[in-house]
Amino acid sequence: HGEIKAVTTGEAKEGYALETFGGTFALSRKALVNDDLGAFGRWSEMMGRAAAETEAAQLLALLTQASGAGPVMGEDGERVFHADHGNLAAAGAAPDESTLTAARKALRTMRGLDGKTPISATPRYILCGPELETTVERLLTAIQPATSGDVNPFAGKLSLLVEPRITGTAWWVFADPAVTPVLEYAYLSSAPSPQLASRDGWEVLGREFRVVLDFGAGATD
């Protein structure tokens, strides 16, 4: 008779905290006077780059915890990459058509918190270190096939991300973070970037520089 049934929604809680990173350095008056190339005038650019590298290192540290299993999730007490989650390869084989097919299938068949509803995790990125960069590039390169059997099914489907901090042959496949995010990062609301400051020395002729970054990262799903 047109009744609308009540439904429930799955819920999981994850959390992380901000940390404060900072550093100072000083330059003597002599160093500033003799800086013909203006290198020290670019200190804000250098500190911005250093902050970006710090953020990348924090995110990678999360991803590679426990030999690549990732952080423990509050949802079930298991790490992000676990056999129970269906997102961990049984054997750590190098990327090829077979292993990449298995990874893509694992993402496509992911289910939501109810264990039933597909979440439509479309593979978008493959992440690896320099060790596998050439291997993955070959795997993703489009070719001009002579027969249908020679078609590269991955050409144009995945984007390669190379992280120099990754050593060895570990690799990951991720969906679009705008749709199904795994890692999340945050800044202090009033300071969404490195905070730079400088002052002239009084007792010592020179200039002091300081940079502070409030940044946090965690796994959300």
Side-chain angles (χ1 to χ4, degrees):
H1 304 289
E3 299 92 340
I4 298 177
K5 295 182 179 181
V7 297
T8 59
T9 180
E11 183 179 36
K13 181 180 179 180
E14 307 295 342
Y16 59 93
L18 294 179
E19 295 184 43
T20 299
F21 304 88
T24 64
F25 68 98
L27 295 174
S28 69
R29 184 173 183 274
K30 183 176 181 180
L32 291 169
V33 169
N34 292 327
D35 180 23
D36 295 334
L37 298 179
F40 297 130
R42 296 188 295 107
W43 76 279
S44 58
E45 176 187 336
M46 294 186 292
M47 291 302 99
R49 176 65 183 269
E53 295 297 339
T54 298
E55 294 169 8
Q58 292 297 305
L59 286 164
L60 187 67
L62 279 176
L63 193 64
T64 56
Q65 273 187 29
S67 300
V72 174
M73 306 299 292
E75 177 184 335
D76 57 7
E78 301 290 357
R79 295 193 177 272
V80 173
F81 300 104
H82 193 275
D84 292 350
H85 297 160
N87 62 357
L88 179 65
D96 57 21
E97 184 173 337
S98 176
T99 55
L100 198 51
T101 296
R104 183 164 67 172
K105 179 182 177 182
L107 265 180
R108 291 284 193 189
T109 55
M110 285 287 172
R111 297 288 184 266
L113 289 173
D114 60 3
K116 300 176 182 178
T117 307
I119 62 174
S120 300
T122 303
R124 177 74 179 275
Y125 299 102
I126 179 168
L127 171 67
C128 69
E131 187 79 17
L132 291 177
E133 182 174 4
T134 301
T135 299
V136 177
E137 282 182 337
R138 285 182 179 142
L139 190 58
L140 301 182
T141 298
I143 58 175
Q144 300 297 324
T147 65
S148 60
D150 294 330
V151 172
N152 182 0
F154 302 111
K157 303 290 182 61
L158 292 168
S159 297
L160 171 62
L161 302 176
V162 181
E163 170 52 61
R165 294 174 181 81
I166 297 175
T167 58
T169 56
W171 57 284
W172 295 260
V173 176
F174 290 97
D176 189 336
V179 180
T180 49
V182 176
L183 300 179
E184 179 181 275
Y185 64 88
Y187 302 99
L188 195 63
S189 61
S190 59
S193 61
Q195 303 302 298
L196 309 175
S198 64
R199 69 178 183 180
D200 290 324
W202 180 258
E203 295 181 351
V204 177
L205 292 178
R207 193 163 185 82
E208 297 175 333
F209 301 86
R210 184 183 71 182
V211 58
V212 176
L213 173 69
D214 293 297
F215 177 81
T220 59
D221 199 4

